[in-house]
């Protein structure tokens, strides 16, 4: 029932939007006309020029080849090829202020990450936003950790029986809780502060389960977690 011109704009938004997992409706509002402008440029393979405010507060002018819009945890992101920087970038849409006119047409490029736009954004945003990063040695083949892909993590095989996993979080105590959800035995390789946080959490759990060992004591053979 929509007019033809408006119907075409709405169809572009539907076709060029990807929903990432675990959506949370608490992100900043984005004008619908901005979303349709970006989606139309992606559909028509037209470059976008816009002012962009980075996470550090600096303003830059960007010239990009728009690929897809991604809605992740209440926020909108644009995945695009940055012409000046000659690389793929992820932009927060609420920080974009389009310039007119846009740019010339372009030939679409192959997206990294095997074309999985949601996974690409998940990895990029997770990496950019965390304060603490850590490396774990997991005593299991990488193939058994496929479920970590939904969190933007890619286990790297170390040998046939173990792999390395890089994780990140805003605080060490929260990160210590999160790594406990990995379903295999693991060791914290770095940073040592995370290893200490895991140790403190393990001791709390041991006491909660009725263990007798106090802080700093090693559990006996019948007191394992």
């Amino acid at each position: 029932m929509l007019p033809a011109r408006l119907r075409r704009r709405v169809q572009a938004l539907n076709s060029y939007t990807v929903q990432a997992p675990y959506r949370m409706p608490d992100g900043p509002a984005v004008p619908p006309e901005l979303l349709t402008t970006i989606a139309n440029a992606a559909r028509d393979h037209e470059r976008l020029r816009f002012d962009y405010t980075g996470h550090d507060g600096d303003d830059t002018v960007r010239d990009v080849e728009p690929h897809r819009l991604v809605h992740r945890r209440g926020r909108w992101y644009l995945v695009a090829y940055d012409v000046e920087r000659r690389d793929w970038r992820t932009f927060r849409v609420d920080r974009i202020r389009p310039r007119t006119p846009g740019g010339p047409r372009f030939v679409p490029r192959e997206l990294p990450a095997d074309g999985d736009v949601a996974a690409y954004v998940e990895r990029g945003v997770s990496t950019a936003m965390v304060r603490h990063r850590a490396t774990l040695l997991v005593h299991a083949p990488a193939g058994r950790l496929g479920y970590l892909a939904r969190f933007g993590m890619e286990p790297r095989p170390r040998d046939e029986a173990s792999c390395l996993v890089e994780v990140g979080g805003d605080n060490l105590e929260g990160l210590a809780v999160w790594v406990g959800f990995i379903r295999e035995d693991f060791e914290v390789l770095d940073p040592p502060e995370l290893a200490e946080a895991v140790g403190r959490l393990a001791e709390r759990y041991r006491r909660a389960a009725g263990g007798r060992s106090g802080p700093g004591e090693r559990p006996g053979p019948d007191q394992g977690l």
Side-chain angles (χ1 to χ4, degrees), residues 67-81:
H67 181 73
R68 285 293 188 279
L69 285 165
V70 176
H71 193 216
R72 174 193 180 271
R73 305 185 185 186
R75 287 196 172 110
W76 286 95
Y77 296 88
L78 167 64
V79 176
Y81 185 84

Side-chain angles (χ1 to χ4, degrees), residues 124-144:
V125 173
S126 298
T127 299
M129 294 179 65
V130 299
R131 294 177 55 195
H132 303 282
R133 307 183 195 284
T135 302
L136 309 179
L137 172 61
V138 181
H139 297 289
R144 293 220 315 244

Side-chain angles (χ1 to χ4, degrees), residues 108-122:
R109 302 171 189 266
E110 190 75 17
L111 179 74
D114 298 323
D116 190 336
V117 184
Y120 178 81
V121 170
E122 191 71 28

